[in-house]
Amino acid sequence: PSPVCGPARASLHTGCYPWRTGVFENSDAWPWGRLPGIPELLGDRGYRTHAIGKSHFMPNRQGTGGFQTRESSEEVPDEPERDDFVRFLQAAGCPHVWDACGQRGDFYYLPQPGQTEERFHNTGWIGDRAVAFLRGQAQS
């Protein structure tokens, strides 16, 4: 629905095109309270909802975005101390990693050498957290 990531996420989240969500740029506020999101609709119907990874919810990037719970990895977190992936890296002994998802700027769209072992990469963390979440829900 949009070549820009924030508006595309807002469209996926609501099922509406950007002209309806009002989100055309990454910095635009999401339509909280104006349009229902899929996580809220599913939660209202008894489903357990959980988000893992980059969501880029605006203006509250650390918010749940209608999910019941969330584990964040915001690529360039506003508050690194609240970012779950950054905390994971610090607890794993990788405090030297400043750009956990790659350096921004001219090199952003080019492959970059990893700053850590593969097991500490963001993609692996998201997959591991998804599996752990699903296993944790197996009895419910």
Side-chain angles (χ1 to χ4, degrees):
S2 173
V4 181
C5 63
R9 282 186 177 85
S11 291
L12 287 170
H13 193 82
T14 62
C16 298
Y17 286 105
W19 62 266
R20 177 97 161 88
T21 65
V23 182
F24 298 98
E25 299 291 336
N26 285 338
S27 58
D28 289 343
W30 279 41
W32 308 125
R34 251 187 336 103
L35 295 173
I38 292 171
E40 294 137 321
L41 296 172
L42 289 172
D44 290 346
R45 286 157 180 79
Y47 287 91
R48 175 72 172 88
T49 61
H50 183 72
I52 303 170
K54 179 181 176 181
S55 300
H56 205 143
F57 298 139
M58 295 301 278
N60 183 4
R61 290 177 68 178
Q62 292 299 325
T64 63
F67 288 93
Q68 293 161 345
T69 53
R70 177 177 175 217
E71 295 175 70
S72 62
S73 173
E74 281 300 319
E75 186 176 18
V76 182
D78 293 336
E79 301 174 63
E81 65 280 357
R82 293 184 59 202
D83 189 90
D84 295 302
F85 180 58
V86 171
R87 288 198 316 248
F88 161 77
L89 288 174
Q90 291 171 346
C94 303
H96 64 282
V97 177
W98 288 93
D99 297 313
C101 295
Q103 184 178 10
R104 304 287 294 187
D106 293 341
F107 293 111
Y108 182 66
Y109 296 103
L110 300 173
Q112 299 178 40
Q115 301 174 57
T116 64
E117 300 172 42
E118 182 181 356
R119 64 190 174 115
F120 298 125
H121 190 273
N122 186 252
T123 303
W125 177 81
I126 291 170
D128 291 345
R129 296 309 308 145
V131 168
F133 174 78
L134 291 171
R135 285 188 175 143
Q137 301 302 305
Q139 299 303 316
S140 64

